[in-house]
Amino acid sequence: MINLVINGKPISVAEGTTIMNAAKAHNISIPNLCYLEGIHKIGSCRICVVEVKGAKTLQASCMTMAAEGMEVNTNSDKARKARKVLYELLLSDHSKDCLSCKRNQTCELQELGKTLGIEETRFEGAHSDHVIDTSVSITRDMSKCILCRRCVTVCNQVQGAGILNAQNRGFSTVIGPAMDLPLGTVNCVFCGQCTVVCPVGALKETDSIQSVWAALNDKNKRVVVQVAPAIRVALGDEFGFEPGTQVTGKLAAALRALGFNDVFDTNFAADLTIMEEGTELLGRIKSALTGEPAVLPMITSCSPGWIKHIEHTYPEHLDNLSSCKSPHTMLGALVKSYYAEKIGAKPQDLFVVSVMPCTAKKTEIARNEMKNDGVPNVDAVLTTRELASMIKEGGIDFKGLPDEEFDSPLGMSTGAADIFGMTGGVMEAALRTVYEIITGRELPFDGLHVTPIEGFDQVKEATVKLENVVDEYKFLEGVEVKVAVTSGVRGANILMDQIAKGESPYHFIEVMGCPGGCIMGGGQPRSSDPDVRTKRLKGILAEDEGKALRKSHTNPYVTEMYEQFLEHPNSHKSHDLLHTHYVKRGEFNELTDEEFVVDTLRSSKKLRVPIGSIPDYCPSGQSSNRKMHEDLESVKILALEAENTRVKKELDDALETVDLLKKVIVNNKKPK
Amino acid sequence: MSDKIAKCTGCTQKDEKKYGEIADIIDLYKDKEGSLIQILHLAQEVYGYLPLDVQKFIASSLQIPLSEVSGVITFYSFFSTTPRGEHTIRVCLGTACYVRGGKKLVERLQDILGIQIGETTEDAKFTFEIARCIGACGLAPAMMIDKVVYKQVNVNKLESIISKYYES
Ligand code: SF4
Ligand code: SF4
Ligand code: SF4
Ligand code: FES
Ligand code: FES
């Protein structure tokens, strides 16, 4: 244990605790901005500075470790002033159009300003030349970027995708893909994880709200909505519910109140996916066992972020993917065929909206493969966050809504469909059905939960032995089915590299593009609760356990769908409507011409006033009290200090280059 | 992967040879410390500059993200992503030169050359850059063309200075 004093209060904490966390454990919160617990810690913003007795300069409390005998003052004059100046400097190169910003009132920069008690901005600084880059899924508005680099950490270290990095240097620094390439032209998987961690309005989903309102107000359209499993345990976050609260009933009611004509549930199609994918898997295993050509392991295909990743990175292994479309596009295809027929509507007159925890699904529905007879399966994808804003804009009192049900028949589902929302869920749902079909017995796991593949480890695996199988599946007697589950690009790469080397021991692999699965999707509400993942997971499991039917093949409406319309799993008709194929893209899109760009803009350059020339008068020309002038003096000094630190850092970088180049010259034996 | 890119850019045979050389450099350096900067440095020597296709080639050979490669290239002014001209003009905009009309030199040169700072003329004759103090403050404004320093430059003389480089 280490003993120190913070704000006069004696405190002991474990070794290796930062000053910030030591203070937090004792109910002293230190303002911060770039820091992100457990994920991102590079000390770039220096908002969290505190005064440490004996130290020459202020210390960034998110980086500095508590040490024995340390005396810390988090609220000294110097620390408070420095924070304010740093904050104001951030604002000097910020677009500040809060009133028309998507993050208005949910913005961490705004919140910080409030915490710091900022009432004026004294610097009108230079404005960088900003890019506003709109891809089908994600919009980057770099005029709002504060260079905290959380997105860089998430995209590179957490996801391992490596799309976003700092480009250029100093004042021209911009966070983005290589060489100013628009996001829609590179191998971004559109997972949206960067939009979840961005503290400001710089990274966000590309808006679909307007097109949905337009459809709702169009008398000639019948607007059908469906919701993914992970929405029901996350939407509540936006309305003050504890994370993980199941708000399924209110969700259905809210959608009806917004004016959607049919309120369906993607879960129905999740059950259907199990029938289609399970049949496909059995077919492949049978072929493999009887010596026919078959590609194994088979990999799930419900996560369009993952699909885009494999298309870019492992284009030679697309045959490993299940040919099933993702559940919401399956449902869309059925709405515009089966359901349209049933109600006597033309497919073009139906407008299908999917509410998804996912930003990648916005791009998915734009793909050519997600159309039947030229009509898109799904017309718009709203993220969970977008639905929440629509509910708020629509003036609906979410908390006060009664619990309602989804509409029949495409709204009915089993518990197996609910767990599609979490990592390991698709696999578990598949095993529940496949095992029972093969052996005639229930899956032999406690509560039907395949514990080895639950939880958040990077790669999880399980083996299920098939014994005493029913006659039809005699060829499977004694077979040990090996499965693996992962979520996030990084984990997927581990399993794909095995496949590429021909060393994969598995029959079936589940991959979801976001770490933790859809409950942590890139379109989900941003949460400050460190346990949000576990809480949402519990919500999903409770949803599953609360259902009378928990195995996809027992869904009576699915059975009916096959009897009345699709005939049987993997039938000709289901191949037509529910299955798809994939596109070889290549790491740099060199194998395709398809791009997902909506728009790219460059904001005009604004006048640059260097920080060194802060005027001696109040720029607003209004409040001219003396205190302000005195303040400005000290502010100028602080600003110059800050500038100094920046220049020093640049110098260090330059020296580093010189060093490296020296080395280059020394061992430079250029090969001829 | 590497052959694919070298081919798909529709490059000339001469280019293919350069890519080959870059591939050799990568093989030689890839396991050494600080290798990315070394490789970029040598690749620039071979290719003259580091356009996107060369960056892609290096990124996929080293199996690192393209955004990281371009991040390093754009961070250090030493690297160039556009072709360089035969001669490099650097106008000093250090404090002394700035006050004594360095800015005017820049404006006039932009007119004469028809390009902006950081660009290269279409005939590949000149690359136009800015410098921070080239040690001739006493005789400001100053500029350099390659290794030759021009002191107390008169805006009106610029044209004749430039035209000399077309004569030889
Ligand atoms: S990002 Fe935040 S501070 Fe910036 S304009 Fe938007 S709401 Fe305002
Ligand atoms: S969407 Fe995902 S892959 Fe794309 S930039 Fe953001 S974090 Fe990286
Ligand atoms: S885009 Fe957002 S997360 Fe990324 S550096 Fe800028 S402010 Fe930070
Ligand atoms: S929060 Fe500590 S440096 Fe940004
Ligand atoms: S400022 Fe131009 S030479 Fe020193």
Side-chain angles (χ1 to χ4, degrees), chain A residues 162-169 178-179 181 587-588 590 653 657 660-661 663-664 667-671, chain B residues 1 4-5 25 29 33 37-38 41-42 45 52 55-56 60 65-68 70-71 74-76 81:
Chain A
I163 308 305
L164 300 177
N165 262 302
Q167 311 293 324
N168 308 323
R169 72 187 301 167
M179 303 296 287
L181 289 171
E587 191 180 357
F588 307 116
E590 68 274 14
D653 289 335
T657 329
L660 274 166
L661 291 179
K663 252 187 237 153
V664 172
N667 15 337
N668 184 356
K669 293 194 194 68
K670 198 172 130 198
Chain B
M1 175 60 76
K4 197 164 57 207
I5 294 166
I25 292 169
Y29 284 95
E33 182 210 352
I37 294 196
Q38 291 205 353
H41 166 78
L42 294 172
E45 240 171 54
L52 189 55
Q55 297 180 28
K56 287 178 180 172
S60 73
L66 176 63
S67 63
E68 198 179 313
S70 82
T74 53
F75 186 86
Y76 297 110
T81 58

Side-chain angles (χ1 to χ4, degrees), chain A residues 364-432:
Chain A
E364 179 191 24
I365 62 167
R367 298 175 60 132
N368 271 327
E369 300 80 40
M370 301 304 155
K371 292 191 177 99
N372 282 92
D373 301 327
V375 182
N377 297 150
V378 173
D379 300 278
V381 166
L382 293 171
T383 62
T384 320
R385 300 189 291 258
E386 284 182 301
L387 175 63
S389 3
M390 280 188 77
I391 294 173
K392 288 172 192 165
E393 188 188 349
I396 294 161
D397 167 20
F398 189 78
K399 275 202 150 165
L401 286 172
D403 283 346
E404 292 181 8
E405 302 274 331
F406 292 109
D407 288 326
S408 189
L410 303 180
M412 304 305 297
S413 64
T414 70
D418 287 304
I419 56 176
F420 265 60
M422 64 183 203
T423 169
V426 178
M427 181 60 74
E428 182 168 314
L431 290 177
R432 285 183 192 176

Side-chain angles (χ1 to χ4, degrees), chain A residues 66-353:
Chain A
E68 187 63 39
M70 212 177 218
E71 277 179 49
V72 178
N73 187 347
T74 70
N75 292 323
S76 75
D77 257 355
K78 202 168 155 199
R80 284 180 42 253
K81 266 197 189 140
R83 265 178 225 143
K84 288 195 181 186
V85 169
L86 288 167
Y87 183 83
E88 288 179 69
L89 288 174
L90 276 177
L91 288 195
S92 73
D93 186 19
H94 191 86
S95 66
K96 292 186 291 244
D97 48 1
C98 300
L99 294 181
S100 53
C101 178
K102 188 152 197 163
R103 290 299 290 273
N104 193 11
Q105 304 207 2
T106 60
C107 170
E108 291 179 42
L109 184 62
Q110 242 184 11
E111 188 62 35
L112 179 67
K114 200 163 98 190
T115 309
L116 296 180
I118 304 287
E119 292 187 5
E120 58 199 342
T121 53
R122 290 164 291 189
F123 318 132
E124 199 31 71
H127 285 263
S128 335
D129 191 14
H130 314 299
V131 182
I132 300 172
D133 165 17
T134 309
S135 70
V136 177
S137 283
I138 288 168
T139 299
R140 299 168 52 235
D141 177 352
M142 289 299 109
S143 71
K144 292 184 178 155
C145 174
I146 54 167
L147 300 177
C148 71
R149 303 187 190 213
R150 284 183 185 179
C151 58
V152 174
T153 302
V154 163
C155 186
N156 291 270
Q157 266 79 55
V158 179
Q159 273 295 46
I163 308 305
L164 300 177
N165 262 302
Q167 311 293 324
N168 308 323
R169 72 187 301 167
F171 189 72
S172 318
T173 306
V174 53
I175 308 294
M179 303 296 287
D180 275 346
L181 289 171
L183 204 57
T185 67
V186 300
N187 53 338
C188 168
V189 307
F190 296 132
C191 66
Q193 291 299 314
C194 53
T195 69
V196 177
V197 295
C198 181
V200 292
L203 291 171
K204 57 198 172 187
E205 60 272 72
T206 299
D207 184 275
S208 301
I209 296 178
Q210 301 319 318
S211 69
V212 173
W213 277 123
L216 285 171
N217 287 316
D218 182 342
K219 297 225 159 36
N220 300 317
K221 290 263 184 240
R222 184 174 178 118
V223 190
V224 179
V225 70
Q226 56 168 320
V227 290
I231 311 298
R232 58 209 75 193
V233 295
L235 181 66
D237 285 28
E238 295 269 354
F239 298 94
F241 287 94
E242 177 68 10
T245 308
Q246 300 157 252
V247 295
T248 322
K250 292 191 194 311
L251 169 59
L255 292 169
R256 227 162 258 133
L258 279 172
F260 289 103
N261 302 97
D262 301 280
V263 181
F264 290 148
D265 193 349
T266 310
N267 274 9
F268 174 85
D271 278 335
L272 203 63
T273 300
I274 292 301
M275 302 307 293
E276 293 291 328
E277 210 166 74
T279 308
E280 189 184 355
L281 177 67
L282 281 174
R284 290 198 194 197
I285 295 181
K286 184 174 181 184
S287 301
L289 288 176
T290 53
E292 280 173 52
V295 182
L296 285 173
M298 186 176 95
I299 316 175
T300 57
S301 56
C302 352
S303 167
W306 148 241
I307 296 296
K308 192 156 183 282
H309 177 66
I310 187 174
E311 288 176 329
H312 283 296
T313 314
Y314 301 94
E316 301 313 320
H317 298 283
L318 298 181
D319 289 341
N320 286 91
L321 289 172
S322 157
S323 63
C324 288
K325 285 182 181 171
S326 68
H328 84 114
T329 40
M330 280 197 188
L331 197 93
L334 288 174
V335 165
K336 294 192 181 183
S337 54
Y338 168 80
Y339 188 65
E341 230 170 74
K342 203 171 165 122
I343 60 171
K346 277 192 256 144
Q348 305 83 284
D349 296 338
L350 294 171
F351 190 92
V352 176
V353 178

